[in-house]
Amino acid sequence: MINYFSSDFTLGILGGGQLGKMLLYETRKFDIRTIVLDPNAEAPCRIACDEFTRGDLMDFDTVVNFGRKADVLTFEIEAVNVEALEKLESEGIEVYPSSKTLKKIQDKGVQKDFFTSHEVPTALYQKYSSKMAFLEGLQKGEISLPLVWKSTTGGYDGKGVAVVKNLQTAEDLPETACIAEDLIPFKNELAVIVARNPSGEVKTYPVVEMEFHPEANQVEYVICPARIDAAVAEKARKVAEKVSRAYEHIGLLAVEMFQTEEDGILVNEVAPRPHNSGHYSIEAAFTNQFEQHLRAILDLPLGDTESKAGGVMVNLVGEEGFSGNVVYENISEIMKLKGVTPHIYGKKITRPFRKMGHVTIVNADLSKARQIAEEVKNKIRVISE
Amino acid sequence: MINYFSSDFTLGILGGGQLGKMLLYETRKFDIRTIVLDPNAEAPCRIACDEFTRGDLMDFDTVVNFGRKADVLTFEIEAVNVEALEKLESEGIEVYPSSKTLKKIQDKGVQKDFFTSHEVPTALYQKYSSKMAFLEGLQKGEISLPLVWKSTTGGYDGKGVAVVKNLQTAEDLPETACIAEDLIPFKNELAVIVARNPSGEVKTYPVVEMEFHPEANQVEYVICPARIDAAVAEKARKVAEKVSRAYEHIGLLAVEMFQTEEDGILVNEVAPRPHNSGHYSIEAAFTNQFEQHLRAILDLPLGDTESKAGGVMVNLVGEEGFSGNVVYENISEIMKLKGVTPHIYGKKITRPFRKMGHVTIVNADLSKARQIAEEVKNKIRVISE
């Protein structure tokens, strides 16, 4: 086995945001040497890695030159130069997840086609190469309102996704290649994270339930385990494992799903990395998702995915009407509540709906945790000075 | 309330070892700006703090100049210049624990006198200002063999403490001021960590049980909760709280105790900081000791001290006969076991009995955790290349 611990082995991470920051807790815990590339000099990962490089994740030369300094390379954001990853792989650097996996996920149109060709249940969709093509499709009746519009690339923090109920909304959408999906009436949004290492070991986390903020299209609560029938949970887990097998990914694969009105499972989208829906695991699971990702990409044995207690996660997003130096109003109030742990990502500037942190609530009694989560949500406000 | 989170507020930490490193996980989680002072350029805290300064913790000017850059100052090691802390306090910088607390703990002779004057039960002892005085005391029958010898300052990693059974061992001891204590036959070594904040809020962790390595005088297993009678645990908790009240400390106070053959409780020694006996809490407790120390010294509400599951901690110390670049033999083997999390402190060089890391084993069933801990202990070896 390669000696990763307190050695010269170097893990490279593309992206220096909050996911990278939480991954760095684990590389520190294992004393694994890390280098991080991010365009922002103030990125949350600027400290806690061994070497921080400022640079463009979409620039071929920047990524290749950075990657050559690593023994294993991973990423915390899908928007990276995939040709650079291919080049690095051809030079013998291990990239996990691989460029092959990323190419099947990075573009949401390709992702949907992959689901279809692998018989993964998903909502019906049409792909369009431009806004004009999309509007024409709507005109021609290829698709009908209401629908879900998704930009094929670059979506994050609720951007790049919209529910389109009328023509005006459609016409106001940005100019970009997109997919248009059937708007599925659903009971629940669910997610399952599957971990897989190069030796082929696979471990699946429990099904979690996501409650979305109706306007911002961002997750408001993640609840683990999901409060659903055992049979539905089992079905969701099986679908997630099927998707995992289809991708043959290395590392984590987060699979977001809809539980339909008829208790069917439709895959919404996937992400080949630690995921917002797994943040609860830092406090609640025997092995948190960041440690698990590390174990997976380094071909270490995967850890136990079960939970020590019930967990609820609340996203802290910038409040509407506030932009500027962030203030977490009432944070000491929520810290009085039982089993509450705030995570502050380290972004100095808040903006409406920007993901600034999250709070985990852990309790032996899940309904109690959910109740405390609501208190947290009602008390804390992410505002500016 | 002061805005600690993603602000310009600066926490200074004296000492950059593993305790500081684990404290930095929490400052990162809360995005609190930190500066660290340590003499070693390769100290575990050299990364993950905002600013690392290399310097002598016992040098007055170094500590004062460093401390002036902080709003609140804490330490992760008792061997710091206490006059410098007094100077900083006089300038209005908050130092927690205070110089006053530290002065009553730093010197083990003063610590024992403090126990006596506050009617804290402790083993009988004599203080000696030099090795010669100690040997004379032995000669004159002031103390008798077997006894426990402790250097009054500078003990760590099992150094500075010795069980003296014969005159030869006594004569081989180093030249230093010391205390000589009765050797207490005991059933168990116990420890309790008490947290206290400036507002006077107090929270006490469960009683843990420590199993020592017979030769190295280092803790081999820490077990939480201690497998002792509820009445004895309650007594230990009460004694720890009495010690905490006597010191009026801010931050954590770790109280090490003996459970005598007659189920009496004698305080062995105290440490005003996160402690080896509390490492289990990172995985097992609702609020781990490092987050708790931070909450306490920043006058934030204290967190829940209870456990999510049973926890056992195994220290990883350098194996005898190995010095040099460290290798954690069979670490991937132990990572296969249920609920096992290794912590690697980041010291590149191993030496016999040097504390290199620890492993936590968490399980709903404590006896199962203890069993897995033994497997861990038997499998992993801290050796050199």
Side-chain angles (χ1 to χ4, degrees):
Chain A
M1 196 200 77
I2 299 162
N3 179 18
Y4 301 114
F5 307 87
S6 297
S7 75
D8 293 332
F9 170 87
T10 298
L11 174 68
I13 305 169
L14 297 171
Q18 64 262 24
L19 298 176
K21 184 191 172 198
M22 292 185 268
L23 186 60
L24 290 180
Y25 298 165
E26 309 308 317
T27 59
R28 293 278 294 146
K29 193 168 84 181
F30 290 169
D31 196 39
I32 292 171
R33 189 172 185 278
T34 49
I35 56 176
V36 173
L37 179 70
D38 194 272
N40 179 2
E42 294 299 306
C45 290
R46 72 193 179 285
I47 57 172
C49 61
D50 289 83
E51 209 181 294
F52 179 76
T53 305
R54 199 174 165 187
D56 184 353
L57 299 167
M58 293 305 286
D59 182 70
F60 180 86
D61 289 335
T62 302
V63 173
V64 168
N65 290 333
F66 173 82
R68 282 177 180 155
K69 295 188 286 179
D71 298 296
V72 171
L73 190 66
T74 189
F75 47 85
E76 57 112 51
I77 184 168
E78 288 95 318
V80 300
N81 188 304
V82 74
E83 290 76 25
L85 300 187
E86 286 173 333
K87 172 76 176 156
L88 290 163
E89 285 167 337
S90 76
E91 292 179 6
I93 288 159
E94 290 180 80
V95 180
Y96 294 132
S98 67
S99 63
K100 211 172 134 204
T101 300
L102 182 57
K103 280 168 87 172
K104 294 172 190 157
I105 291 173
Q106 209 174 32
D107 178 301
K108 284 184 185 170
V110 176
Q111 196 183 119
K112 287 289 269 189
D113 288 349
F114 183 84
F115 295 161
T116 307
S117 64
H118 287 80
E119 296 177 348
V120 169
T122 191
L124 293 176
Y125 64 101
Q126 292 288 338
K127 292 190 296 177
Y128 296 102
S129 58
S130 67
K131 182 176 169 180
M132 180 176 288
F134 163 66
L135 291 175
E136 281 176 9
L138 202 54
Q139 202 71 31
K140 284 192 258 173
E142 288 173 9
I143 46 175
S144 56
L145 298 173
L147 58 78
V148 177
W149 170 92
K150 290 179 182 175
S151 145
T152 53
T153 54
Y156 69 95
D157 275 13
K159 284 169 197 149
V161 181
V163 174
V164 179
K165 292 184 178 165
N166 57 55
L167 210 58
Q168 189 57 52
T169 310
E171 282 166 358
D172 291 346
L173 288 167
E175 172 51 59
T176 175
C178 64
I179 56 173
E181 277 187 6
D182 281 2
L183 179 66
I184 303 292
F186 57 81
K187 280 187 191 169
N188 281 303
E189 295 210 33
L190 308 174
V192 172
I193 293 174
V194 186
R196 195 167 167 281
N197 70 14
S199 299
E201 197 187 358
V202 174
K203 290 215 177 168
T204 307
Y205 280 88
V207 182
V208 303
E209 177 191 342
M210 292 142 87
E211 282 186 43
F212 273 66
H213 186 284
E215 287 151 50
N217 196 37
Q218 285 191 325
V219 179
E220 204 165 22
Y221 301 107
V222 172
I223 299 163
C224 180
R227 299 160 301 177
I228 55 174
D229 280 357
V232 177
E234 185 55 25
K235 198 191 288 184
R237 216 162 156 148
K238 286 266 178 289
V239 168
E241 284 164 0
K242 180 179 185 176
V243 179
S244 169
R245 275 194 306 278
Y247 276 111
E248 295 181 305
H249 63 100
I250 302 298
L252 300 186
L253 189 77
V255 184
E256 293 183 55
M257 293 168 280
F258 299 115
Q259 176 188 357
T260 66
E261 302 280 7
E262 300 78 26
D263 287 343
I265 296 293
L266 295 178
V267 173
N268 180 21
E269 55 185 63
V270 300
R273 51 164 171 79
H275 191 254
N276 192 269
S277 67
H279 290 349
Y280 81 90
S281 67
I282 297 178
E283 283 81 17
F286 283 97
T287 311
N288 76 57
Q289 65 165 346
F290 298 97
E291 179 179 331
Q292 195 76 292
H293 184 68
L294 206 52
R295 286 178 179 236
I297 63 175
L298 301 181
D299 205 12
L300 290 164
L302 299 181
D304 188 356
T305 52
E306 295 306 307
S307 291
K308 299 170 201 168
V312 178
M313 192 276 294
V314 178
N315 278 316
L316 296 181
V317 300
E319 191 141 323
E320 275 190 285
F322 294 90
S323 289
N325 288 337
V326 66
V327 174
Y328 297 91
E329 194 181 73
N330 292 331
I331 188 163
S332 74
E333 288 303 305
I334 69 160
M335 289 174 78
K336 284 180 189 161
L337 303 171
K338 192 174 156 65
V340 166
T341 306
H343 290 254
I344 305 298
Y345 296 157
K347 303 170 186 176
K348 305 290 178 216
I349 304 296
T350 184
R351 288 191 299 267
F353 305 121
R354 189 177 192 197
K355 273 187 196 155
M356 300 299 288
H358 74 263
V359 180
T360 309
I361 300 93
V362 174
N363 201 296
D365 178 351
L366 183 64
S367 64
K368 186 77 193 156
R370 177 61 183 76
Q371 191 183 312
I372 295 170
E374 201 155 322
E375 274 188 73
V376 167
K377 187 80 195 166
N378 291 338
K379 279 205 171 109
I380 196 164
R381 291 174 75 219
V382 183
I383 57 173
S384 53
E385 284 175 348
Chain B
M1 196 198 78
I2 298 162
N3 178 18
Y4 300 115
F5 308 88
S6 297
S7 76
D8 294 331
F9 170 87
T10 299
L11 174 68
I13 305 169
L14 297 171
Q18 64 263 23
L19 298 176
K21 182 189 173 200
M22 291 185 269
L23 187 60
L24 290 179
Y25 298 165
E26 310 307 318
T27 58
R28 294 277 294 146
K29 194 167 84 183
F30 290 169
D31 195 38
I32 292 171
R33 187 171 188 278
T34 49
I35 56 176
V36 173
L37 179 70
D38 194 273
N40 179 3
E42 294 298 307
C45 290
R46 73 194 178 283
I47 57 173
C49 60
D50 288 83
E51 207 182 297
F52 180 76
T53 305
R54 197 174 166 187
D56 185 352
L57 299 167
M58 294 304 286
D59 182 70
F60 180 86
D61 289 336
T62 303
V63 173
V64 169
N65 291 333
F66 173 82
R68 282 178 181 153
K69 295 188 286 180
D71 298 297
V72 171
L73 190 65
T74 190
F75 46 86
E76 58 113 49
I77 184 169
E78 289 95 318
V80 300
N81 188 305
V82 74
E83 289 76 25
L85 300 187
E86 286 173 333
K87 172 75 174 156
L88 290 163
E89 285 167 336
S90 75
E91 293 179 4
I93 289 160
E94 290 180 81
V95 180
Y96 294 132
S98 68
S99 64
K100 211 172 133 203
T101 299
L102 182 57
K103 280 167 87 171
K104 294 171 190 157
I105 290 174
Q106 208 174 32
D107 178 300
K108 284 184 184 169
V110 176
Q111 194 182 122
K112 287 289 270 188
D113 289 349
F114 183 83
F115 295 161
T116 307
S117 64
H118 287 79
E119 295 177 348
V120 169
T122 191
L124 294 176
Y125 64 102
Q126 292 288 337
K127 292 190 295 178
Y128 296 103
S129 59
S130 67
K131 180 175 171 181
M132 182 176 287
F134 164 64
L135 291 174
E136 281 175 8
L138 202 54
Q139 202 70 30
K140 282 192 259 173
E142 286 173 9
I143 46 173
S144 57
L145 299 174
L147 58 79
V148 177
W149 170 94
K150 290 179 182 176
S151 144
T152 52
T153 54
Y156 67 97
D157 276 13
K159 284 168 195 148
V161 180
V163 174
V164 180
K165 292 183 179 164
N166 57 54
L167 209 59
Q168 188 57 51
T169 311
E171 282 165 0
D172 290 346
L173 288 168
E175 172 51 58
T176 176
C178 65
I179 56 173
E181 277 186 6
D182 282 2
L183 180 66
I184 304 290
F186 56 83
K187 280 187 190 169
N188 281 303
E189 296 209 33
L190 307 174
V192 172
I193 293 174
V194 185
R196 195 168 168 280
N197 70 14
S199 298
E201 198 187 357
V202 175
K203 289 215 178 168
T204 306
Y205 280 87
V207 182
V208 303
E209 177 190 341
M210 293 142 88
E211 283 185 42
F212 273 67
H213 185 285
E215 287 150 50
N217 196 39
Q218 284 190 325
V219 179
E220 204 164 22
Y221 301 108
V222 172
I223 299 163
C224 181
R227 298 160 301 177
I228 55 174
D229 280 356
V232 176
E234 186 54 25
K235 198 191 287 184
R237 217 162 155 148
K238 286 266 178 289
V239 168
E241 283 164 0
K242 181 179 184 174
V243 178
S244 169
R245 276 194 304 278
Y247 275 111
E248 295 181 306
H249 63 99
I250 302 299
L252 301 186
L253 189 77
V255 184
E256 294 183 53
M257 292 168 279
F258 299 116
Q259 176 188 359
T260 66
E261 303 280 9
E262 300 78 27
D263 285 343
I265 297 292
L266 296 178
V267 173
N268 180 21
E269 56 186 62
V270 299
R273 51 166 171 78
H275 191 254
N276 192 269
S277 67
H279 290 349
Y280 80 90
S281 67
I282 297 177
E283 282 81 17
F286 283 97
T287 310
N288 77 57
Q289 65 165 347
F290 298 97
E291 179 179 332
Q292 195 76 290
H293 184 68
L294 206 53
R295 286 178 179 236
I297 63 176
L298 300 181
D299 206 12
L300 289 164
L302 299 180
D304 188 355
T305 52
E306 294 307 307
S307 290
K308 298 169 202 168
V312 178
M313 191 277 295
V314 178
N315 278 316
L316 296 180
V317 300
E319 191 142 322
E320 275 191 285
F322 294 90
S323 288
N325 288 338
V326 66
V327 173
Y328 296 91
E329 194 180 74
N330 292 330
I331 189 164
S332 74
E333 289 303 306
I334 69 160
M335 289 174 78
K336 284 180 191 163
L337 303 172
K338 192 175 157 66
V340 165
T341 307
H343 289 254
I344 305 298
Y345 295 157
K347 303 171 186 176
K348 304 291 178 217
I349 304 296
T350 184
R351 288 191 299 267
F353 305 120
R354 190 177 191 198
K355 273 187 196 155
M356 301 297 289
H358 75 262
V359 179
T360 308
I361 301 94
V362 174
N363 202 295
D365 177 350
L366 183 65
S367 65
K368 186 78 192 155
R370 177 62 183 76
Q371 190 183 314
I372 295 170
E374 199 156 323
E375 274 188 73
V376 166
K377 187 80 196 166
N378 291 339
K379 278 204 171 107
I380 195 164
R381 292 173 75 219
V382 183
I383 57 174
S384 54
E385 284 176 347

